[in-house]
């Protein structure tokens, strides 16, 4: 092997599965490199296991990985795109790679939302999912639940909650599709921007890493992920904002659904638009959401 690429990742089972998937893609295409997995515990991971430590919502699950890139203790980092803030630090580059997994949210523990009784307890740590559950299905018995996918499933199995809402993509990457009761309609229960997309990040001046990453970049995935992230960026929202953005390409047309809610789920603004240009679509969606009062809803979080 001519070069060793140090691939930084969080230490959770899902993050390691994603990193090993990227490692395999890199090795398939590059016979002159080896790839070393570097596990890093992020502040988001520490918060997830400490109920007293709150998430700031500003890249908690990747800032330590970015620091490793910037101080050159790692060459490449793998993220779930939904965890990546819409603005990238100077000197770093984010790229969407491979095909997008199922972007929908999954309901676990029951086969449909209609099976939930009035007193059913639903577990989720996501502000977006909490607000949508309150807004879409009028559910207020929601328990904050943190930790990795396996930890959350164990709490369901131990009857600490009656149902969970998790990302279909994460369950699929862990081989846990059989736990999915149903997948929620993304035009109504709108996913987080970038959900289901894998992202890699590296230094902009690292020509070797750029050479091996560029062939993995998926233009279709990049187009929809960039569109979703642009809407978030124009609204200056972060991970704590109850906001969903979902873009899909249908032939030559891009379709986008977006929703912004207040934390209670009592108030919301929505748009559903189509356009031949994904960048124009993002601008139109953000403009309409702002005109409808989205910024005030975001400030209320």
């Amino acid at each position: 092997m001519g070069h060793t690429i140090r691939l930084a990742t969080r230490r959770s089972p899902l993050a390691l599965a994603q990193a090993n998937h990227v490692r395999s893609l890199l090795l398939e295409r590059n016979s002159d490199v080896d790839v070393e997995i570097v596990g890093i515990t992020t502040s988001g991971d520490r918060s997830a296991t400490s109920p007293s430590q709150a998430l700031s919502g500003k890249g908690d699950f990747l800032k330590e990985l970015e620091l490793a890139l910037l101080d050159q203790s790692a060459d490449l980092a793998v993220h779930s795109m939904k965890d990546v803030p819409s603005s990238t630090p100077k000197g770093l580059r984010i790229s969407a790679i491979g095909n997008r997994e199922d972007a929908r949210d999954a309901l676990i523990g029951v086969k449909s939302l209609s099976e939930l009784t009035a007193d059913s307890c639903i577990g989720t740590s996501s502000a977006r999912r909490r607000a949508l559950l309150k807004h879409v299905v009028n559910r207020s018995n929601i328990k904050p639940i943190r930790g990795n996918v396996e930890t959350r499933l164990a709490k369901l199995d131990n009857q600490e909650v009656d149902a969970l809402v998790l990302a279909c993509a994460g369950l699929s990457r862990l081989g846990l599709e059989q736990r999915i009761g149903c997948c929620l309609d993304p035009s109504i229960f709108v996913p987080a921007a970038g959900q289901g997309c894998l992202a890699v990040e590296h230094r902009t001046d690292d020509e070797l890493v750029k050479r091996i990453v560029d062939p993995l970049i998926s233009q279709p995935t990049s187009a929809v992920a960039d569109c979703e992230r642009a809407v978030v960026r124009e609204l200056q929202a972060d991970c704590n904002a109850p906001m969903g953005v979902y873009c899909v390409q249908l032939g030559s047309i891009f379709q986008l659904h977006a929703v912004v809610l207040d934390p209670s789920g009592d108030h919301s603004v929505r748009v559903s638009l189509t356009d031949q240009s994904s960048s124009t679509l993002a601008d139109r969606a953000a403009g309409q959401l702002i005109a409808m009062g989205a910024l005030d809803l975001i400030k209320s979080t």
Side-chain angles (χ1 to χ4, degrees):
M1 297 291 180
H3 303 278
T4 297
I5 303 298
R6 296 161 299 173
L7 180 62
T9 177
R10 295 166 56 204
R11 297 178 184 273
S12 74
L14 175 56
L16 289 168
Q18 292 175 167
N20 278 296
H21 174 65
V22 172
R23 180 178 185 273
S24 296
L25 293 176
L26 293 171
L27 294 177
E28 284 174 10
R29 290 176 172 266
N30 300 275
S31 60
D32 60 336
V33 302
D34 192 13
V35 180
E36 174 190 349
I37 301 291
V38 179
I40 295 175
T41 300
T42 69
S43 52
D45 296 312
R46 289 190 289 273
S47 296
T49 57
S50 175
S52 63
Q53 190 171 351
L55 293 170
S56 74
K58 299 183 184 293
D60 283 335
F61 289 107
L62 72 155
K63 54 190 176 185
E64 283 85 357
L65 304 185
E66 291 181 330
L67 288 173
L69 293 174
L70 292 169
D71 70 16
Q72 300 192 27
S73 57
D75 307 300
L76 189 63
V78 180
H79 313 297
S80 294
M81 185 69 88
K82 68 180 179 64
D83 295 330
V84 179
S86 56
S87 297
T88 305
K90 184 178 180 180
L92 298 179
R93 175 200 188 205
I94 288 279
S95 302
I97 63 167
N99 295 326
R100 186 177 203 170
E101 289 273 4
D102 192 336
R104 294 174 295 178
D105 284 315
L107 187 63
I108 317 296
V110 293
K111 297 295 184 182
S112 71
L113 288 168
S114 63
E115 288 188 21
L116 296 170
T117 63
D119 60 351
S120 292
C121 179
I122 309 168
T124 178
S125 61
S126 160
R128 174 185 60 86
R129 290 170 179 153
R130 286 198 304 269
L132 280 169
L133 284 166
K134 293 174 182 178
H135 179 73
V136 174
V137 291
N138 195 27
R139 297 294 173 183
S140 57
N141 190 12
I142 300 168
K143 180 177 181 179
I145 189 167
R146 294 162 74 175
N148 61 39
V149 171
E150 294 84 353
T151 298
R152 298 183 196 200
L153 290 172
K155 291 182 178 181
L156 172 66
D157 295 338
N158 292 334
Q159 300 183 332
E160 294 180 39
V161 292
D162 300 300
L164 296 171
V165 183
L166 298 172
C168 289
L171 293 161
S172 176
R173 289 177 183 139
L174 289 169
L176 295 170
E177 300 97 328
Q178 74 279 5
R179 298 300 304 261
I180 296 175
C182 72
C183 297
L184 301 174
D185 184 344
S187 69
I188 299 172
F189 211 93
V190 187
Q195 187 160 305
C197 300
L198 272 185
V200 293
E201 188 172 19
H202 65 86
R203 294 183 296 278
T204 54
D205 62 359
D206 193 327
E207 292 300 324
L208 170 63
V209 172
K210 183 177 185 298
R211 172 178 68 81
I212 68 171
V213 164
D214 279 358
L216 302 180
I217 295 175
S218 166
Q219 295 308 320
T221 304
S222 295
V224 295
D226 289 349
C227 177
E228 294 166 5
R229 286 163 53 77
V231 177
V232 175
R233 184 166 54 251
E234 291 193 41
L235 269 62
Q236 299 181 339
D238 64 23
C239 299
N240 285 333
M243 175 180 182
V245 191
Y246 176 59
C247 180
V248 60
Q249 187 170 2
L250 305 170
S252 62
I253 299 295
F254 291 91
Q255 181 183 69
L256 180 139
H257 302 285
V259 61
V260 181
L261 309 100
D262 71 343
S264 71
D266 291 337
H267 305 284
S268 70
V269 292
R270 284 181 178 267
V271 295
S272 293
L273 302 170
T274 60
D275 205 291
Q276 290 186 321
S277 165
S278 59
S279 60
T280 301
L281 184 60
D283 288 341
R284 288 175 57 206
Q288 290 191 24
L289 288 168
I290 290 170
M292 297 164 70
L295 296 182
D296 290 334
L297 293 177
I298 290 170
K299 288 176 184 176
S300 71
T301 60

